[in-house]
């Protein structure tokens, strides 16, 4: 059974470099998609918190103060 012409080492190197280049492009695309998903989640979380604070008729400063007091209380209980 006849075989096709074998690739030279230079051709193998070029093929591998091209494969790596394409993988890097794919990784960059996947990282961009991940960043977009994280941003979307962050926006939804912020929207949820904003609605919660608004429904409680609190300002952001008041809500922050309440959270700080709560965290201080938890810290003192565990200390």
């Amino acid at each position: 059974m006849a075989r096709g012409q074998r690739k030279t080492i230079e051709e193998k190197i070029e093929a591998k470099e091209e494969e790596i280049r394409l993988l890097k492009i794919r990784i960059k695309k996947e990282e961009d998609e991940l960043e977009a998903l994280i941003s979307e989640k962050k926006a939804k979380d912020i929207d949820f918190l904003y609605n919660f604070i608004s429904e409680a008729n609190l300002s952001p400063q008041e809500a922050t103060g309440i959270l700080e007091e709560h965290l201080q209380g938890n810290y003192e209980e565990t200390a």
Side-chain angles (χ1 to χ4, degrees):
M1 199 175 196
R3 296 181 108 187
Q5 189 177 15
R6 294 182 56 99
K7 289 185 179 181
T8 67
I9 189 72
E10 288 82 11
E11 290 171 327
K12 289 178 183 179
I13 290 171
E14 286 177 20
K16 192 55 68 176
E17 287 174 340
E18 179 64 8
E19 186 178 342
I20 290 170
R21 185 185 72 77
L22 292 173
L23 286 170
K24 285 180 179 180
I25 290 170
R26 169 111 191 264
I27 288 170
K28 173 68 173 133
K29 181 181 176 238
E30 296 295 333
E31 287 173 339
D32 290 346
E33 288 180 20
L34 175 60
E35 188 175 315
L37 288 169
I38 290 170
S39 292
E40 182 181 338
K41 182 185 181 313
K42 189 176 187 179
K44 285 182 179 182
D45 289 347
I46 289 169
D47 191 49
F48 173 81
L49 289 171
Y50 174 81
N51 289 334
F52 184 81
I53 291 168
S54 294
E55 289 172 11
N57 293 319
L58 295 171
S59 71
Q61 294 77 15
E62 291 170 322
T64 302
I66 291 168
L67 285 170
E68 286 174 346
E69 286 177 19
H70 175 73
L71 292 174
Q72 254 334 64
N74 283 345
Y75 177 74
E76 290 170 0
E77 288 176 10
T78 60

